Amino acid sequence: MTRFVAGRIGVYTLIAVLLAFFTIPLLWLATAPFTSDPSYEVRLPDFTFENFQMIIEHPYALWSLVNSLVLSIGTAVLVVVLSALAAYALSRVRLPGRDALLYALLLLSSIITGTAAMVPLFQLAIELNLIDSHTGLILILSGGLLPAAIFMIKDFMDTTPKSYEESARVFGASPLQIVAHVVVPLVRPGLATIAVWTVANVWGNFLMPYLLLSDVDKQPAAVIMYTLYTEGGQANLKVLSTFGLLYSIPVVIMYLFVSKKYGFRFHGGIKR
Amino acid sequence: MAAIELKGLTKVYPGGVKALDSLDLSIPDGEFFALLGPSGCGKTTLLRTIAGLETATGGNVVIGDRDVTGVQPGGRDIAMVFQDYALFPHMDVTENISYPLRIKKVAKAQRQAKAGEVGARLGLEQLMDRRPGQLSGGQQQRVALARVMATQAKAFLFDEPLSNLDARLRLEARTFLKKLQRELGVTTVFVTHDQAEALAMADRMAVMEAGHIRQIGTPSEVFQRPANTFVASFIGSTPMNLLDAVVRGDTLEVAGCEVPVPALAAGLLTDGEKIVYGVRPEYMTYTDEPADGSLSGEVIIVENLGASHLVTLEVAGVLVQAVVPEGREPALGDRGHAVPRGDRALAYRDGELVSA
């Protein structure tokens, strides 16, 4: 009995330590923006809004959040639409070497938006006149994310029974109608997952926008955060913490919204 | 309404599997037609080829007076109920039933009115707002039927329509389907692996084996005069007695006993010929007393079938089965005599029925 209690105490202590490890930075993020003189420790804030005032007055900070939204939503829309169509085709059409193609794409995609392709991508963007353009960046980010997205969505499509589509086909639905009326609603949780994953990816991506957007007006939050220093070259914790909080809120809201709306549900309709 | 005509229909799957081998079949307008066979015999492939979900390798499919061999499923003016019903899980019953009309760009109000009308006919009024996941198996089946009825198609195709229902419901659904088909009068082809289902529901049926049709006929014809030993052993809830026999003049020598030559084969057999003698257990009369032309042996198994018993006799090492009415079943170990009905007994030469 004592051993059991001791064991339990040990387990809970370990959990508490682990939790603290993750909670303390979050607590800091929650309190520091409201503190007039934040440091690296977690303190009870004195509830000042001075720091927010500074962010509002910052010439680029709020716009950078808008830029982040434009980039991530644009990329998400492109990735969801294209990956759904591609995955449907790959899931339903028998192509020789289909799986090899998918794996090759998956492998290469990590290179596209990785450090290795930095120089060629930059040159490509210059040649195509896509430097300093959100469109260009969205295209490149989509290219990097699409293979993994196709891979994930194809998995969803592979598990949906074909008889749904055949049924729609017999009623005369065209392939695009089948996708819109039947396939997309069936894999909606998967599409939502892809959308969230894409937004989170783009939201946190630093390298690509840093490389391809030199105009400060167009840079997203992840890049602007990098510039939040004091004149002395020290990290400006007041602005940094406040901006960090603002930067994380949209992503948190998105997760909550999507999990509430598209939480995984099974509807039935196929008798097994 | 339309007849369905198949001419030399062949389907070879990639890899060389011949699922259908030059099939000819014609199903007149308004008929309730069953495709029956063991799994893997090609019956579902045949149905899917009629639907256009599989493309024929050779031959023609004619629906009505139109050759639809190369036409997409949607253009064939047919409707299909799938084995799993394939109701769209994200649509409610109304939307499911009216989906074919949505494809045909019928206005929404009209669509819903039609769905309500068809749904009411099948007793679904209370369920129109439900999703398929909230329906029982029988209700799902009725929604699937309502959906094909809403299409006004010329022919209906049902793939194993009853196999997903439990045994009790299956019997009710059988009667219901037959009545519905009669009322609608739409040419209907259904696939089943259950011979009792095919016998009960179909106007005519085709028994298939390995991509070939082994017999086409009404349920009575197929039951009473199976054209070959495959059909004979496949049809019937109790398997037909198929016994090796030798022709001895006007009688047959079967398992050491003498029985008369079947009426159907009279005059068509040659003396000394080896044939297979077939008679259904239902067409055997069991007696305790020795009788002329009977198969006599020891009772080794008695199975209760409800209103009757299936008695298995061991006759000179061969098992012979007979159906005995309730109350008259023998005890194990009794010596019994089974007299075949001469007009129902059959003779098979090389697996094919001997008849004029």
Side-chain angles (χ1 to χ4, degrees):
Chain A
M1 187 64 200
T2 6
R3 272 188 61 187
F4 176 75
V5 172
R8 284 272 119 170
I9 291 175
V11 167
Y12 284 121
T13 314
L14 186 70
I15 292 174
V17 170
L18 280 177
L19 270 179
F21 188 77
F22 290 104
T23 333
I24 289 172
L26 287 176
L27 274 177
W28 181 84
L29 191 62
T31 55
F34 304 98
T35 312
S36 42
D37 181 22
S39 66
Y40 288 116
E41 48 187 342
V42 178
R43 278 180 308 185
L44 264 186
D46 49 0
F47 296 109
T48 171
F49 286 94
E50 209 180 290
N51 301 338
F52 288 90
Q53 189 63 35
M54 285 174 73
I55 287 290
I56 291 168
E57 281 165 11
H58 190 283
Y60 305 116
L62 288 184
W63 267 115
S64 74
L65 285 170
V66 174
N67 287 337
S68 279
L69 274 179
V70 169
L71 287 175
S72 45
I73 291 175
T75 312
V77 168
L78 201 63
V79 166
V80 166
V81 171
L82 294 184
S83 66
L85 292 174
Y88 179 60
L90 283 171
S91 167
R92 294 302 188 244
V93 180
R94 298 213 167 274
L95 281 175
R98 174 183 66 177
D99 291 342
L101 174 82
L102 262 176
Y103 280 107
L105 274 179
L106 200 60
L107 191 71
L108 293 175
S109 72
S110 51
I111 299 172
I112 291 186
T113 44
T115 334
M118 247 164 55
V119 176
L121 270 180
F122 185 75
Q123 289 192 326
L124 187 69
I126 288 190
E127 292 290 326
L128 294 173
N129 220 359
L130 288 173
I131 282 286
D132 256 341
S133 118
H134 280 171
T135 321
L137 187 55
I138 286 174
L139 286 175
I140 285 171
L141 289 170
S142 303
L145 296 173
L146 262 175
I150 293 171
F151 202 74
M152 286 189 261
I153 273 293
K154 180 178 167 287
D155 223 42
F156 270 90
M157 298 204 171
D158 285 346
T159 55
T160 55
K162 277 192 188 137
S163 54
Y164 289 133
E165 292 150 47
E166 289 180 340
S167 174
R169 238 183 108 197
V170 173
F171 294 131
S174 69
L176 272 181
Q177 278 175 322
I178 293 175
V179 171
H181 298 166
V182 181
V183 179
V184 165
L186 286 176
V187 299
R188 192 143 50 187
L191 295 177
T193 310
I194 295 295
V196 169
W197 173 80
T198 309
V199 167
N201 248 297
V202 175
W203 196 261
N205 194 319
F206 170 78
L207 184 63
M208 282 299 128
Y210 184 67
L211 194 68
L212 298 174
L213 300 175
S214 56
D215 188 346
V216 194
D217 285 330
K218 290 181 179 161
Q219 284 174 346
V223 176
I224 290 295
M225 190 173 296
Y226 177 64
T227 67
L228 298 179
Y229 284 97
T230 58
E231 291 83 350
Q234 291 280 313
N236 184 347
L237 290 183
K238 291 169 110 175
V239 195
L240 206 54
S241 63
T242 314
F243 192 63
L245 184 66
L246 291 177
Y247 177 64
S248 51
I249 284 173
V251 183
V252 173
I253 291 177
M254 173 186 71
Y255 271 110
L256 293 178
F257 173 77
V258 170
S259 98
K260 193 171 158 67
K261 188 149 196 258
Y262 299 111
F264 287 82
R265 282 172 299 183
F266 186 66
H267 297 303
I270 287 284
K271 178 99 176 160
R272 285 170 207 280
Chain B
M1 313 302 120
I4 298 172
E5 192 87 34
L6 309 177
K7 291 172 197 153
L9 199 64
T10 302
K11 172 73 188 178
V12 182
Y13 280 113
V17 180
K18 214 170 201 180
L20 302 176
D21 195 357
S22 189
L23 283 187
D24 293 298
L25 180 62
S26 76
I27 301 167
D29 186 15
E31 191 166 73
F32 202 14
F33 193 89
L35 293 171
L36 174 69
S39 46
C41 70
K43 58 192 190 295
T44 296
T45 305
L46 178 54
L47 193 78
R48 290 171 59 87
T49 311
I50 299 175
L53 292 169
E54 306 282 352
T55 38
T57 319
N60 297 81
V61 178
V62 181
I63 297 174
D65 37 22
R66 199 159 63 101
D67 187 330
V68 294
T69 318
V71 177
Q72 281 291 308
R76 295 189 174 200
D77 215 350
I78 41 124
M80 184 160 171
V81 172
F82 288 78
Q83 186 171 4
D84 55 21
Y85 309 140
L87 300 175
F88 305 126
H90 54 285
M91 298 183 190
D92 63 23
V93 171
T94 306
E95 287 169 322
N96 259 298
I97 297 178
S98 58
Y99 185 73
L101 303 174
R102 180 172 160 196
I103 294 296
K104 287 183 189 138
K105 306 230 184 316
V106 176
K108 189 164 186 180
Q110 224 174 318
R111 255 167 29 209
Q112 287 181 332
K114 180 76 186 172
E117 179 195 318
V118 178
R121 181 154 181 195
L122 296 185
L124 295 166
E125 307 95 321
Q126 309 298 320
L127 309 171
M128 298 304 278
D129 298 328
R130 296 225 194 145
R131 296 258 170 109
Q134 300 165 300
L135 301 175
S136 70
Q139 290 166 340
Q140 290 188 12
Q141 193 210 29
R142 276 184 286 150
V143 175
L145 287 171
R147 188 167 62 174
V148 302
M149 279 164 66
T151 59
Q152 312 273 7
K154 283 184 186 156
F156 293 162
L157 308 174
F158 297 164
D159 187 5
E160 303 264 3
L162 304 178
S163 66
N164 271 325
L165 302 174
D166 54 58
R168 160 69 42 187
L169 207 53
R170 199 174 299 178
L171 288 182
E172 283 172 30
R174 205 158 86 176
T175 316
F176 173 77
L177 260 186
K178 186 161 185 169
K179 180 163 165 279
L180 186 70
Q181 198 273 340
R182 188 118 312 161
E183 285 165 9
L184 297 172
V186 177
T187 317
T188 304
V189 182
F190 75 99
V191 158
T192 178
H193 62 269
D194 182 347
Q195 52 85 28
E197 213 169 280
L199 289 174
M201 292 203 292
D203 296 329
R204 269 190 336 137
M205 58 200 275
V207 186
M208 292 182 67
E209 184 199 16
H212 294 270
I213 291 178
R214 302 306 305 271
Q215 186 171 7
I216 301 177
T218 63
S220 314
E221 283 164 15
V222 174
F223 184 80
Q224 289 167 7
R225 290 186 187 179
N228 44 61
T229 46
F230 171 78
V231 177
S233 56
F234 193 74
I235 298 283
S237 10
T238 51
M240 186 189 272
N241 294 304
L242 291 170
L243 312 166
D244 289 326
V246 182
V247 182
R248 298 264 183 258
D250 284 347
T251 59
L252 298 177
E253 188 190 319
V254 181
C257 304
E258 292 223 324
V259 294
V261 166
L264 207 61
L268 298 169
L269 300 173
T270 44
D271 203 27
E273 190 181 7
K274 284 186 177 163
I275 58 155
V276 170
Y277 179 71
V279 60
R280 291 197 180 281
E282 292 88 346
Y283 295 142
M284 297 274 245
T285 314
Y286 177 89
T287 61
D288 298 330
E289 307 299 322
D292 276 350
S294 71
L295 296 162
S296 310
E298 186 191 342
V299 176
I300 57 165
I301 303 167
V302 178
E303 293 166 58
N304 192 331
L305 302 180
S308 58
H309 287 78
L310 181 64
V311 173
T312 306
L313 299 174
E314 189 178 331
V315 183
V318 180
L319 298 186
V320 177
Q321 295 187 308
V323 171
V324 178
E326 62 179 335
R328 290 189 40 205
E329 67 271 18
L332 287 183
D334 284 1
R335 188 158 177 83
H337 311 272
V339 186
R341 249 177 80 175
D343 59 336
R344 286 286 177 265
L346 304 163
Y348 292 96
R349 184 190 286 136
D350 301 328
E352 298 297 321
L353 182 69
V354 181
S355 70

